[in-house]
Amino acid sequence: MAKFMDVHHNMKGITREQLIEAHQNDLAIEADERVHFEAAWADPESGVVYCLSEAPSAEAVQRIHERTGHRADEVHPVPLRV
Amino acid sequence: MAKFMDVHHNMKGITREQLIEAHQNDLAIEADERVHFEAAWADPESGVVYCLSEAPSAEAVQRIHERTGHRADEVHPVPLRV
């Protein structure tokens, strides 16, 4: 398992409720791919959303996001953390 | 005070030691701007680094990063968090 940061770039105007709903939808199915979404941060003004996860691969992260209707624009492994 | 995520895009090959040193350098002077860098995640392969902070403004975050020699390419307020 590894850590990943994925980024969505076109979420302008996202509300707190929409972020919570998207995250809950991911959590509901993440076990299918042995992914766990730990946190997400959003900037409604620029429309960027960052999601931190633990997963077996970037593809697994993306499959969950695709199934819940919000494909990530980037998925990066982040093996280093301070 | 608000939360910020800043992003550096040209850190290919960054090592764990370099990430720790950069973070320590930020921590050493962050109080000058009432910033606190909470965490950083790095992908040495793509060269992207994400830093999560609490700060009075994006400019304050950037001033600390500039003084320690690693200006951020993006600084986004992230008022929403799940």
Side-chain angles (χ1 to χ4, degrees):
Chain A
M1 299 293 269
K3 296 278 185 185
F4 294 87
M5 187 77 84
D6 67 79
V7 189
H8 307 254
H9 287 291
N10 294 293
M11 308 289 271
K12 268 189 193 169
I14 188 171
T15 64
R16 182 175 304 274
E17 292 66 31
Q18 287 169 331
L19 182 66
I20 291 170
E21 187 185 354
H23 188 58
Q24 293 292 353
N25 289 344
D26 287 335
L27 294 181
I29 63 167
E30 65 181 13
D32 292 356
E33 298 277 358
R34 297 190 301 131
V35 173
H36 177 54
F37 289 97
E38 298 180 354
W41 297 268
D43 176 12
E45 202 171 308
S46 69
V48 71
V49 176
Y50 302 96
C51 301
L52 183 68
S53 63
E54 187 162 88
S57 68
E59 291 72 22
V61 172
Q62 190 64 282
R63 282 193 291 268
I64 296 298
H65 275 341
E66 284 182 338
R67 285 175 56 195
T68 53
H70 42 261
R71 182 181 166 80
D73 297 301
E74 304 170 46
V75 186
H76 294 285
V78 282
L80 305 184
R81 200 255 195 219
V82 291
Chain B
M1 300 293 270
K3 295 278 184 185
F4 294 87
M5 187 78 83
D6 68 78
V7 189
H8 307 254
H9 287 291
N10 294 294
M11 308 289 270
K12 267 188 194 170
I14 187 170
T15 65
R16 182 175 304 274
E17 291 66 33
Q18 288 169 331
L19 183 66
I20 290 170
E21 187 184 353
H23 187 60
Q24 293 291 351
N25 289 345
D26 287 335
L27 294 181
I29 63 166
E30 65 181 12
D32 292 356
E33 298 277 357
R34 296 189 302 131
V35 172
H36 177 53
F37 288 98
E38 299 180 352
W41 296 268
D43 176 13
E45 202 172 307
S46 71
V48 72
V49 176
Y50 302 96
C51 300
L52 183 68
S53 62
E54 186 163 87
S57 69
E59 291 73 22
V61 172
Q62 190 64 282
R63 282 192 291 270
I64 297 297
H65 274 341
E66 284 182 338
R67 284 174 57 195
T68 52
H70 43 261
R71 182 181 167 81
D73 297 300
E74 304 170 46
V75 185
H76 294 286
V78 282
L80 306 184
R81 200 254 196 220
V82 291

